[in-house]
mmCIF file of all heavy atoms in Angstrom:
data_model
loop_
_atom_site.group_PDB
_atom_site.id
_atom_site.type_symbol
_atom_site.label_atom_id
_atom_site.label_comp_id
_atom_site.label_asym_id
_atom_site.label_seq_id
_atom_site.Cartn_x
_atom_site.Cartn_y
_atom_site.Cartn_z
ATOM 1 N N ALA A 915 -1.561 10.574 6.457
ATOM 2 C CA ALA A 915 -1.812 9.907 7.741
ATOM 3 C C ALA A 915 -1.419 10.710 8.918
ATOM 4 O O ALA A 915 -2.094 10.789 9.919
ATOM 5 C CB ALA A 915 -1.115 8.551 7.760
ATOM 6 N N ILE A 916 -0.270 11.406 8.803
ATOM 7 C CA ILE A 916 0.170 12.329 9.890
ATOM 8 C C ILE A 916 -0.831 13.484 10.067
ATOM 9 O O ILE A 916 -1.199 13.789 11.197
ATOM 10 C CB ILE A 916 1.583 12.830 9.591
ATOM 11 C CG1 ILE A 916 2.590 11.712 9.770
ATOM 12 C CG2 ILE A 916 1.941 14.014 10.528
ATOM 13 C CD1 ILE A 916 4.001 12.068 9.282
ATOM 14 N N ALA A 917 -1.278 13.992 8.951
ATOM 15 C CA ALA A 917 -2.278 15.091 9.003
ATOM 16 C C ALA A 917 -3.586 14.606 9.597
ATOM 17 O O ALA A 917 -4.226 15.310 10.402
ATOM 18 C CB ALA A 917 -2.510 15.714 7.617
ATOM 19 N N GLN A 918 -3.981 13.391 9.284
ATOM 20 C CA GLN A 918 -5.221 12.856 9.808
ATOM 21 C C GLN A 918 -5.071 12.622 11.330
ATOM 22 O O GLN A 918 -5.991 12.912 12.105
ATOM 23 C CB GLN A 918 -5.600 11.522 9.118
ATOM 24 C CG GLN A 918 -6.070 11.653 7.753
ATOM 25 C CD GLN A 918 -6.223 10.315 7.050
ATOM 26 O OE1 GLN A 918 -5.536 9.339 7.397
ATOM 27 N NE2 GLN A 918 -7.168 10.179 6.176
ATOM 28 N N GLN A 919 -3.970 12.018 11.744
ATOM 29 C CA GLN A 919 -3.810 11.618 13.149
ATOM 30 C C GLN A 919 -3.543 12.842 14.045
ATOM 31 O O GLN A 919 -4.097 12.872 15.136
ATOM 32 C CB GLN A 919 -2.674 10.615 13.258
ATOM 33 C CG GLN A 919 -2.633 9.904 14.571
ATOM 34 C CD GLN A 919 -3.789 8.952 14.782
ATOM 35 O OE1 GLN A 919 -4.218 8.301 13.856
ATOM 36 N NE2 GLN A 919 -4.333 8.867 16.018
ATOM 37 N N TRP A 920 -2.738 13.750 13.629
ATOM 38 C CA TRP A 920 -2.246 14.773 14.559
ATOM 39 C C TRP A 920 -2.825 16.160 14.265
ATOM 40 O O TRP A 920 -2.840 17.017 15.182
ATOM 41 C CB TRP A 920 -0.726 14.895 14.528
ATOM 42 C CG TRP A 920 -0.114 13.584 14.915
ATOM 43 C CD1 TRP A 920 0.550 12.688 14.045
ATOM 44 C CD2 TRP A 920 -0.134 12.938 16.178
ATOM 45 N NE1 TRP A 920 0.935 11.603 14.759
ATOM 46 C CE2 TRP A 920 0.523 11.685 16.076
ATOM 47 C CE3 TRP A 920 -0.655 13.269 17.428
ATOM 48 C CZ2 TRP A 920 0.700 10.836 17.112
ATOM 49 C CZ3 TRP A 920 -0.483 12.447 18.491
ATOM 50 C CH2 TRP A 920 0.151 11.209 18.307
ATOM 51 N N LEU A 921 -3.335 16.387 13.053
ATOM 52 C CA LEU A 921 -3.878 17.724 12.727
ATOM 53 C C LEU A 921 -5.403 17.694 12.574
ATOM 54 O O LEU A 921 -6.022 18.699 12.364
ATOM 55 C CB LEU A 921 -3.244 18.238 11.490
ATOM 56 C CG LEU A 921 -1.700 18.392 11.506
ATOM 57 C CD1 LEU A 921 -1.218 18.879 10.167
ATOM 58 C CD2 LEU A 921 -1.288 19.321 12.626
ATOM 59 N N GLY A 922 -6.006 16.544 12.686
ATOM 60 C CA GLY A 922 -7.460 16.397 12.604
ATOM 61 C C GLY A 922 -8.057 16.503 11.229
ATOM 62 O O GLY A 922 -9.221 16.733 11.075
ATOM 63 N N VAL A 923 -7.241 16.289 10.193
ATOM 64 C CA VAL A 923 -7.747 16.337 8.803
ATOM 65 C C VAL A 923 -8.702 15.137 8.648
ATOM 66 O O VAL A 923 -8.353 13.996 8.960
ATOM 67 C CB VAL A 923 -6.571 16.267 7.778
ATOM 68 C CG1 VAL A 923 -7.092 16.133 6.416
ATOM 69 C CG2 VAL A 923 -5.721 17.537 7.982
ATOM 70 N N SER A 924 -9.901 15.383 8.098
ATOM 71 C CA SER A 924 -10.871 14.292 7.938
ATOM 72 C C SER A 924 -10.934 13.773 6.517
ATOM 73 O O SER A 924 -11.806 12.981 6.181
ATOM 74 C CB SER A 924 -12.268 14.807 8.373
ATOM 75 O OG SER A 924 -12.699 15.898 7.541
ATOM 76 N N PHE A 925 -10.011 14.164 5.660
ATOM 77 C CA PHE A 925 -9.959 13.741 4.255
ATOM 78 C C PHE A 925 -9.352 12.317 4.256
ATOM 79 O O PHE A 925 -8.331 12.068 4.868
ATOM 80 C CB PHE A 925 -9.150 14.697 3.421
ATOM 81 C CG PHE A 925 -9.037 14.375 1.993
ATOM 82 C CD1 PHE A 925 -10.106 14.471 1.171
ATOM 83 C CD2 PHE A 925 -7.846 13.929 1.468
ATOM 84 C CE1 PHE A 925 -10.044 14.167 -0.187
ATOM 85 C CE2 PHE A 925 -7.750 13.618 0.144
ATOM 86 C CZ PHE A 925 -8.831 13.748 -0.710
ATOM 87 N N GLY A 926 -9.939 11.394 3.482
ATOM 88 C CA GLY A 926 -9.421 10.039 3.406
ATOM 89 C C GLY A 926 -10.166 9.125 4.354
ATOM 90 O O GLY A 926 -11.287 9.375 4.772
ATOM 91 N N ALA A 927 -9.513 8.021 4.730
ATOM 92 C CA ALA A 927 -10.130 6.997 5.571
ATOM 93 C C ALA A 927 -9.534 7.027 6.970
ATOM 94 O O ALA A 927 -8.352 7.022 7.194
ATOM 95 C CB ALA A 927 -9.908 5.604 4.982
ATOM 96 N N ILE A 928 -10.417 7.198 7.956
ATOM 97 C CA ILE A 928 -10.065 7.158 9.363
ATOM 98 C C ILE A 928 -10.906 6.138 10.042
ATOM 99 O O ILE A 928 -12.129 6.128 9.915
ATOM 100 C CB ILE A 928 -10.226 8.570 10.005
ATOM 101 C CG1 ILE A 928 -9.387 9.616 9.265
ATOM 102 C CG2 ILE A 928 -9.894 8.526 11.480
ATOM 103 C CD1 ILE A 928 -9.668 11.009 9.675
ATOM 104 N N LYS A 929 -10.317 5.254 10.829
ATOM 105 C CA LYS A 929 -11.011 4.188 11.491
ATOM 106 C C LYS A 929 -11.271 4.659 12.926
ATOM 107 O O LYS A 929 -10.328 4.918 13.683
ATOM 108 C CB LYS A 929 -10.259 2.911 11.473
ATOM 109 C CG LYS A 929 -10.839 1.765 12.223
ATOM 110 C CD LYS A 929 -11.700 0.918 11.320
ATOM 111 C CE LYS A 929 -12.099 -0.317 12.124
ATOM 112 N NZ LYS A 929 -13.139 -1.018 11.488
ATOM 113 N N ASP A 930 -12.543 4.806 13.356
ATOM 114 C CA ASP A 930 -12.884 5.199 14.674
ATOM 115 C C ASP A 930 -13.229 3.950 15.492
ATOM 116 O O ASP A 930 -13.991 3.101 15.016
ATOM 117 C CB ASP A 930 -14.066 6.168 14.703
ATOM 118 C CG ASP A 930 -13.715 7.538 14.092
ATOM 119 O OD1 ASP A 930 -12.592 7.950 14.259
ATOM 120 O OD2 ASP A 930 -14.613 8.118 13.508
ATOM 121 N N TYR A 931 -12.730 3.833 16.686
ATOM 122 C CA TYR A 931 -13.046 2.737 17.602
ATOM 123 C C TYR A 931 -13.953 3.295 18.705
ATOM 124 O O TYR A 931 -13.598 4.298 19.329
ATOM 125 C CB TYR A 931 -11.761 2.140 18.145
ATOM 126 C CG TYR A 931 -10.909 1.451 17.075
ATOM 127 C CD1 TYR A 931 -9.952 2.165 16.384
ATOM 128 C CD2 TYR A 931 -11.129 0.149 16.764
ATOM 129 C CE1 TYR A 931 -9.218 1.608 15.381
ATOM 130 C CE2 TYR A 931 -10.423 -0.479 15.732
ATOM 131 C CZ TYR A 931 -9.455 0.243 15.087
ATOM 132 O OH TYR A 931 -8.722 -0.342 14.095
ATOM 133 N N LEU A 932 -15.040 2.620 18.889
ATOM 134 C CA LEU A 932 -16.065 3.141 19.835
ATOM 135 C C LEU A 932 -15.901 2.486 21.206
ATOM 136 O O LEU A 932 -15.598 1.308 21.351
ATOM 137 C CB LEU A 932 -17.443 2.895 19.336
ATOM 138 C CG LEU A 932 -17.779 3.503 17.939
ATOM 139 C CD1 LEU A 932 -19.208 3.133 17.529
ATOM 140 C CD2 LEU A 932 -17.617 5.001 18.000
ATOM 141 N N ALA A 933 -16.130 3.291 22.237
ATOM 142 C CA ALA A 933 -16.150 2.802 23.604
ATOM 143 C C ALA A 933 -17.513 2.195 23.864
ATOM 144 O O ALA A 933 -18.407 2.260 23.038
ATOM 145 C CB ALA A 933 -15.883 3.928 24.580
ATOM 146 N N LEU A 934 -17.727 1.620 25.045
ATOM 147 C CA LEU A 934 -19.022 0.946 25.356
ATOM 148 C C LEU A 934 -20.199 1.926 25.339
ATOM 149 O O LEU A 934 -21.263 1.564 24.995
ATOM 150 C CB LEU A 934 -18.925 0.279 26.731
ATOM 151 C CG LEU A 934 -18.009 -0.981 26.786
ATOM 152 C CD1 LEU A 934 -17.897 -1.497 28.229
ATOM 153 C CD2 LEU A 934 -18.511 -2.023 25.868
ATOM 154 N N GLY A 935 -19.932 3.178 25.653
ATOM 155 C CA GLY A 935 -21.029 4.171 25.683
ATOM 156 C C GLY A 935 -21.395 4.673 24.344
ATOM 157 O O GLY A 935 -22.342 5.462 24.171
ATOM 158 N N GLY A 936 -20.643 4.309 23.305
ATOM 159 C CA GLY A 936 -20.953 4.763 21.929
ATOM 160 C C GLY A 936 -20.137 5.928 21.490
ATOM 161 O O GLY A 936 -20.209 6.392 20.325
ATOM 162 N N SER A 937 -19.294 6.460 22.398
ATOM 163 C CA SER A 937 -18.437 7.622 22.022
ATOM 164 C C SER A 937 -17.138 7.085 21.407
ATOM 165 O O SER A 937 -16.776 5.898 21.615
ATOM 166 C CB SER A 937 -18.101 8.494 23.207
ATOM 167 O OG SER A 937 -17.390 7.729 24.174
ATOM 168 N N VAL A 938 -16.477 7.901 20.677
ATOM 169 C CA VAL A 938 -15.244 7.506 20.024
ATOM 170 C C VAL A 938 -14.134 7.380 21.057
ATOM 171 O O VAL A 938 -13.803 8.345 21.758
ATOM 172 C CB VAL A 938 -14.840 8.544 18.926
ATOM 173 C CG1 VAL A 938 -13.460 8.153 18.346
ATOM 174 C CG2 VAL A 938 -15.883 8.543 17.804
ATOM 175 N N SER A 939 -13.585 6.190 21.175
ATOM 176 C CA SER A 939 -12.493 5.966 22.139
ATOM 177 C C SER A 939 -11.173 6.454 21.567
ATOM 178 O O SER A 939 -10.451 7.123 22.250
ATOM 179 C CB SER A 939 -12.472 4.476 22.473
ATOM 180 O OG SER A 939 -11.376 4.166 23.300
ATOM 181 N N PHE A 940 -10.888 6.058 20.341
ATOM 182 C CA PHE A 940 -9.707 6.559 19.677
ATOM 183 C C PHE A 940 -9.845 6.323 18.194
ATOM 184 O O PHE A 940 -10.736 5.568 17.721
ATOM 185 C CB PHE A 940 -8.418 5.899 20.204
ATOM 186 C CG PHE A 940 -8.302 4.417 19.954
ATOM 187 C CD1 PHE A 940 -7.596 3.948 18.841
ATOM 188 C CD2 PHE A 940 -8.864 3.522 20.806
ATOM 189 C CE1 PHE A 940 -7.523 2.574 18.629
ATOM 190 C CE2 PHE A 940 -8.740 2.144 20.648
ATOM 191 C CZ PHE A 940 -8.101 1.676 19.495
ATOM 192 N N SER A 941 -9.065 7.011 17.401
ATOM 193 C CA SER A 941 -9.099 6.904 15.912
ATOM 194 C C SER A 941 -7.723 6.528 15.432
ATOM 195 O O SER A 941 -6.716 6.842 16.030
ATOM 196 C CB SER A 941 -9.534 8.240 15.317
ATOM 197 O OG SER A 941 -10.813 8.575 15.749
ATOM 198 N N ARG A 942 -7.711 5.840 14.266
ATOM 199 C CA ARG A 942 -6.445 5.517 13.626
ATOM 200 C C ARG A 942 -6.528 5.981 12.170
ATOM 201 O O ARG A 942 -7.459 5.749 11.482
ATOM 202 C CB ARG A 942 -6.250 3.985 13.611
ATOM 203 C CG ARG A 942 -5.876 3.451 15.000
ATOM 204 C CD ARG A 942 -5.762 1.938 15.004
ATOM 205 N NE ARG A 942 -4.676 1.521 14.125
ATOM 206 C CZ ARG A 942 -4.599 0.300 13.650
ATOM 207 N NH1 ARG A 942 -5.519 -0.624 13.880
ATOM 208 N NH2 ARG A 942 -3.628 -0.052 12.857
ATOM 209 N N ALA A 943 -5.453 6.648 11.765
ATOM 210 C CA ALA A 943 -5.410 7.167 10.387
ATOM 211 C C ALA A 943 -5.176 6.024 9.406
ATOM 212 O O ALA A 943 -4.478 5.046 9.721
ATOM 213 C CB ALA A 943 -4.261 8.152 10.297
ATOM 214 N N GLY A 944 -5.757 6.131 8.223
ATOM 215 C CA GLY A 944 -5.616 5.110 7.240
ATOM 216 C C GLY A 944 -5.245 5.651 5.880
ATOM 217 O O GLY A 944 -5.190 4.902 4.917
ATOM 218 N N ALA A 945 -4.983 6.992 5.765
ATOM 219 C CA ALA A 945 -4.769 7.666 4.496
ATOM 220 C C ALA A 945 -5.921 7.306 3.542
ATOM 221 O O ALA A 945 -7.051 7.681 3.843
ATOM 222 C CB ALA A 945 -3.380 7.316 3.935
ATOM 223 N N PHE A 946 -5.617 6.579 2.466
ATOM 224 C CA PHE A 946 -6.690 6.193 1.538
ATOM 225 C C PHE A 946 -7.015 4.673 1.649
ATOM 226 O O PHE A 946 -7.826 4.147 0.900
ATOM 227 C CB PHE A 946 -6.376 6.542 0.154
ATOM 228 C CG PHE A 946 -6.412 8.037 -0.130
ATOM 229 C CD1 PHE A 946 -5.262 8.694 -0.464
ATOM 230 C CD2 PHE A 946 -7.588 8.715 -0.011
ATOM 231 C CE1 PHE A 946 -5.283 10.064 -0.708
ATOM 232 C CE2 PHE A 946 -7.638 10.087 -0.213
ATOM 233 C CZ PHE A 946 -6.476 10.761 -0.598
ATOM 234 N N PHE A 947 -6.380 3.968 2.617
ATOM 235 C CA PHE A 947 -6.633 2.593 2.813
ATOM 236 C C PHE A 947 -7.858 2.400 3.720
ATOM 237 O O PHE A 947 -7.992 3.133 4.694
ATOM 238 C CB PHE A 947 -5.402 1.904 3.433
ATOM 239 C CG PHE A 947 -4.221 1.881 2.524
ATOM 240 C CD1 PHE A 947 -3.268 2.839 2.591
ATOM 241 C CD2 PHE A 947 -4.019 0.859 1.633
ATOM 242 C CE1 PHE A 947 -2.117 2.823 1.771
ATOM 243 C CE2 PHE A 947 -2.966 0.813 0.788
ATOM 244 C CZ PHE A 947 -2.012 1.831 0.842
ATOM 245 N N THR A 948 -8.662 1.370 3.435
ATOM 246 C CA THR A 948 -9.858 1.173 4.265
ATOM 247 C C THR A 948 -9.494 0.653 5.623
ATOM 248 O O THR A 948 -10.249 0.875 6.591
ATOM 249 C CB THR A 948 -10.795 0.209 3.569
ATOM 250 O OG1 THR A 948 -10.126 -1.017 3.328
ATOM 251 C CG2 THR A 948 -11.360 0.751 2.286
ATOM 252 N N ASP A 949 -8.368 0.023 5.775
ATOM 253 C CA ASP A 949 -7.901 -0.529 7.047
ATOM 254 C C ASP A 949 -6.544 0.119 7.416
ATOM 255 O O ASP A 949 -5.610 0.064 6.586
ATOM 256 C CB ASP A 949 -7.749 -2.031 6.913
ATOM 257 C CG ASP A 949 -7.395 -2.725 8.240
ATOM 258 O OD1 ASP A 949 -7.191 -2.052 9.240
ATOM 259 O OD2 ASP A 949 -7.287 -3.962 8.220
ATOM 260 N N PRO A 950 -6.404 0.699 8.595
ATOM 261 C CA PRO A 950 -5.136 1.263 8.968
ATOM 262 C C PRO A 950 -3.962 0.254 8.984
ATOM 263 O O PRO A 950 -2.811 0.629 8.749
ATOM 264 C CB PRO A 950 -5.358 1.786 10.403
ATOM 265 C CG PRO A 950 -6.811 1.983 10.471
ATOM 266 C CD PRO A 950 -7.452 0.955 9.626
ATOM 267 N N ASN A 951 -4.302 -1.028 9.145
ATOM 268 C CA ASN A 951 -3.222 -2.050 9.065
ATOM 269 C C ASN A 951 -2.661 -2.143 7.642
ATOM 270 O O ASN A 951 -1.498 -2.455 7.446
ATOM 271 C CB ASN A 951 -3.741 -3.408 9.489
ATOM 272 C CG ASN A 951 -4.069 -3.407 10.956
ATOM 273 O OD1 ASN A 951 -3.459 -2.718 11.783
ATOM 274 N ND2 ASN A 951 -5.135 -4.135 11.348
ATOM 275 N N GLN A 952 -3.505 -1.916 6.607
ATOM 276 C CA GLN A 952 -3.020 -1.871 5.246
ATOM 277 C C GLN A 952 -2.080 -0.732 5.020
ATOM 278 O O GLN A 952 -1.018 -0.865 4.326
ATOM 279 C CB GLN A 952 -4.153 -1.829 4.217
ATOM 280 C CG GLN A 952 -5.007 -3.051 4.203
ATOM 281 C CD GLN A 952 -6.260 -2.901 3.370
ATOM 282 O OE1 GLN A 952 -6.752 -1.759 3.204
ATOM 283 N NE2 GLN A 952 -6.786 -3.989 2.889
ATOM 284 N N LEU A 953 -2.360 0.418 5.589
ATOM 285 C CA LEU A 953 -1.434 1.559 5.566
ATOM 286 C C LEU A 953 -0.115 1.193 6.246
ATOM 287 O O LEU A 953 0.961 1.524 5.681
ATOM 288 C CB LEU A 953 -2.019 2.806 6.209
ATOM 289 C CG LEU A 953 -1.098 3.976 6.372
ATOM 290 C CD1 LEU A 953 -0.633 4.551 5.031
ATOM 291 C CD2 LEU A 953 -1.713 5.043 7.238
ATOM 292 N N GLY A 954 -0.194 0.581 7.374
ATOM 293 C CA GLY A 954 1.034 0.175 8.089
ATOM 294 C C GLY A 954 1.875 -0.800 7.271
ATOM 295 O O GLY A 954 3.107 -0.719 7.229
ATOM 296 N N THR A 955 1.212 -1.736 6.569
ATOM 297 C CA THR A 955 1.918 -2.691 5.725
ATOM 298 C C THR A 955 2.606 -1.916 4.573
ATOM 299 O O THR A 955 3.789 -2.197 4.287
ATOM 300 C CB THR A 955 0.960 -3.776 5.195
ATOM 301 O OG1 THR A 955 0.359 -4.435 6.298
ATOM 302 C CG2 THR A 955 1.667 -4.734 4.300
ATOM 303 N N PHE A 956 1.873 -1.089 3.938
ATOM 304 C CA PHE A 956 2.387 -0.305 2.831
ATOM 305 C C PHE A 956 3.633 0.531 3.269
ATOM 306 O O PHE A 956 4.665 0.555 2.614
ATOM 307 C CB PHE A 956 1.299 0.631 2.243
ATOM 308 C CG PHE A 956 1.762 1.409 1.056
ATOM 309 C CD1 PHE A 956 2.062 0.822 -0.122
ATOM 310 C CD2 PHE A 956 1.785 2.831 1.145
ATOM 311 C CE1 PHE A 956 2.403 1.555 -1.227
ATOM 312 C CE2 PHE A 956 2.155 3.574 0.061
ATOM 313 C CZ PHE A 956 2.463 2.947 -1.149
ATOM 314 N N MET A 957 3.534 1.164 4.413
ATOM 315 C CA MET A 957 4.600 2.025 4.894
ATOM 316 C C MET A 957 5.819 1.139 5.290
ATOM 317 O O MET A 957 6.952 1.511 5.132
ATOM 318 C CB MET A 957 4.144 2.886 6.066
ATOM 319 C CG MET A 957 3.068 3.897 5.695
ATOM 320 S SD MET A 957 3.401 4.866 4.234
ATOM 321 C CE MET A 957 4.621 6.003 4.920
ATOM 322 N N SER A 958 5.542 -0.019 5.871
ATOM 323 C CA SER A 958 6.642 -0.956 6.259
ATOM 324 C C SER A 958 7.413 -1.429 5.030
ATOM 325 O O SER A 958 8.632 -1.479 5.005
ATOM 326 C CB SER A 958 6.104 -2.168 7.003
ATOM 327 O OG SER A 958 5.470 -1.783 8.180
ATOM 328 N N VAL A 959 6.654 -1.752 3.970
ATOM 329 C CA VAL A 959 7.296 -2.160 2.716
ATOM 330 C C VAL A 959 8.111 -1.026 2.173
ATOM 331 O O VAL A 959 9.255 -1.199 1.690
ATOM 332 C CB VAL A 959 6.229 -2.621 1.660
ATOM 333 C CG1 VAL A 959 6.835 -2.780 0.303
ATOM 334 C CG2 VAL A 959 5.616 -3.923 2.153
ATOM 335 N N ALA A 960 7.662 0.205 2.247
ATOM 336 C CA ALA A 960 8.362 1.342 1.739
ATOM 337 C C ALA A 960 9.640 1.562 2.533
ATOM 338 O O ALA A 960 10.722 1.842 1.929
ATOM 339 C CB ALA A 960 7.502 2.621 1.814
#
Side-chain angles (χ1 to χ4, degrees):
I916 289 170
Q918 288 174 329
Q919 193 69 37
W920 302 109
L921 302 177
V923 173
S924 61
F925 182 70
I928 301 170
K929 176 93 172 167
D930 292 326
Y931 294 90
L932 302 178
L934 290 176
S937 62
V938 174
S939 176
F940 65 95
S941 298
R942 289 177 61 202
F946 290 115
F947 293 94
T948 55
D949 184 357
N951 293 327
Q952 293 172 334
L953 172 65
T955 302
F956 182 66
M957 299 307 288
S958 298
V959 168

